[in-house]
């Protein structure tokens, strides 16, 4: 039976590129995101490229929905071998820490910490039993490099980064890879990238945040290498300067 990658937060950027990259390696593909219409468009595109793929619409702001999506994927495909978790709704911006409310942070904690932990709970036992698997989470640079005035998603992403580091040390010996990609970058063709005007893009990439723009196909190749080689718990782009 061919392996299955479940891509949570699948969109037109990294999610589609990952589907193509892992599909080229013979993986079947499960796509999970909120909007069924957008997911179906990606499914149609990938199906035309002879990739076996199916959509599983789910609102990942609720961890229970994340677990239900895993159950649905297992019913359809019989297994989950690799998870890539990278949901970030278009237009998500930074919030100064002094203005961050507990209500707003709670939403980010659900989406970026509790839902991926729930997914891990649902897939890891079978991965460990098989002695093979992968669990990769995408995060932003503020998780590892907190700075004034650009809080919001950072505290939640810092939590899942901490979890992945611990998980990696616990499951690597059983043949399962856990890793995190921490990016100071926008992903070309993603929902977040598409939501920006040229003026906004110029301000962000040339301004105080200094964000880069990454090609999703190149990034998908990096994720494949992380899963294949399993020798790096965290991928940072760009690499942090030596202290």
């Amino acid at each position: 039976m061919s392996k299955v990658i479940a891509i949570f937060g699948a969109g037109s950027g990294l999610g589609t590129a990952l589907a193509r990259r892992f599909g080229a390696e013979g993986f079947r593909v499960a796509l999970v995101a909120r909007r069924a219409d957008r997911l179906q468009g990606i499914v149609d595109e990938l199906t035309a490229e002879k990739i076996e793929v199916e959509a599983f619409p789910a609102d990942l702001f609720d961890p229970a929905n994340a677990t239900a999506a895993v159950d649905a994927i297992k019913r359809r495909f019989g297994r989950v071998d690799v998870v890539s978790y990278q949901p970030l709704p278009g237009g998500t911006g930074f919030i100064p820490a002094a203005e961050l409310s507990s209500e707003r942070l709670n939403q980010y904690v659900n989406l970026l910490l509790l839902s991926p932990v729930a997914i891990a709970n649902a897939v890891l036992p079978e991965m460990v039993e098989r002695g093979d698997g992968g669990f990769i989470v995408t995060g932003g640079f503020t998780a590892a490099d907190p700075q004034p005035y650009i809080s919001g998603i950072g505290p939640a992403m810092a939590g899942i980064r901490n979890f992945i580091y611990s998980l990696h040390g616990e499951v690597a010996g059983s043949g399962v890879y856990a890793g995190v990609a921490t990016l100071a970058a926008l992903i070309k063709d993603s929902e977040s990238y598409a939501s920006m005007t040229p003026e906004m893009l110029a301000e962000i990439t040339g301004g105080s945040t200094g964000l880069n723009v990454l090609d999703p196909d190149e990034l998908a190749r990096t994720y494949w290498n992380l899963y294949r080689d399993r020798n790096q718990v965290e991928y940072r782009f760009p690499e942090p300067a030596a202290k």
Side-chain angles (χ1 to χ4, degrees):
M1 182 182 297
S2 57
K3 292 182 178 181
V4 176
I5 181 171
I7 302 171
F8 290 82
S12 55
L14 177 59
T16 300
L18 283 170
R20 287 195 175 104
R21 184 66 188 86
F22 279 77
E25 299 292 337
F27 277 70
R28 295 172 291 167
V29 179
L31 301 176
V32 184
R34 279 193 298 178
R35 292 190 53 178
D37 55 341
R38 288 191 179 183
L39 274 183
Q40 190 57 50
I42 298 172
V43 167
D44 293 343
E45 181 181 348
L46 295 171
T47 299
E49 299 172 16
K50 309 301 183 184
I51 296 172
E52 186 176 352
V53 56
E54 189 161 326
F56 299 85
D59 183 352
L60 297 173
F61 279 94
D62 185 343
N65 293 339
T67 302
V70 173
D71 292 340
I73 294 167
K74 289 181 180 179
R75 286 194 298 271
R76 169 62 179 83
F77 289 123
R79 58 194 291 158
V80 175
D81 296 274
V82 177
V83 167
S84 179
Y85 192 88
Q86 69 255 356
L88 186 63
T92 302
F94 297 117
I95 303 171
E99 299 175 13
L100 180 62
S101 67
S102 59
E103 292 79 6
R104 188 69 176 274
L105 180 57
N106 184 66
Q107 293 179 341
Y108 293 141
V109 168
N110 281 340
L111 178 66
L112 301 172
L113 176 58
L114 299 185
S115 282
V117 169
I119 293 166
N121 292 163
V123 301
L124 283 172
E126 292 179 7
M127 289 182 180
V128 170
E129 183 177 354
R130 285 194 298 266
D132 185 50
F135 194 94
I136 303 174
V137 173
T138 303
F141 71 100
T142 57
D145 184 21
Q147 299 177 27
Y149 303 105
I150 52 174
S151 185
I153 60 176
M157 287 184 170
I160 195 60
R161 178 175 180 263
N162 176 284
F163 173 79
I164 290 296
Y165 262 85
S166 294
L167 184 64
H168 177 85
E170 295 169 14
V171 300
S174 63
V176 179
Y177 170 72
V180 58
T182 301
L183 310 175
L186 297 167
I187 300 172
K188 189 177 180 182
D189 300 328
S190 67
E191 185 177 342
S192 296
Y193 181 86
S195 69
M196 295 186 176
T197 65
E199 292 76 18
M200 293 168 61
L201 184 61
E203 181 179 355
I204 287 177
T205 57
S208 60
T209 59
L211 291 180
N212 303 276
V213 175
L214 280 173
D215 178 84
D217 293 329
E218 292 183 6
L219 190 56
R221 284 193 291 272
T222 297
Y223 281 42
W224 170 257
N225 292 340
L226 289 172
Y227 164 69
R228 180 194 63 193
D229 299 338
R230 308 184 185 199
N231 57 7
Q232 184 178 356
V233 63
E234 183 173 21
Y235 168 74
R236 296 280 298 268
F237 180 89
E239 292 184 4
K243 295 183 179 180

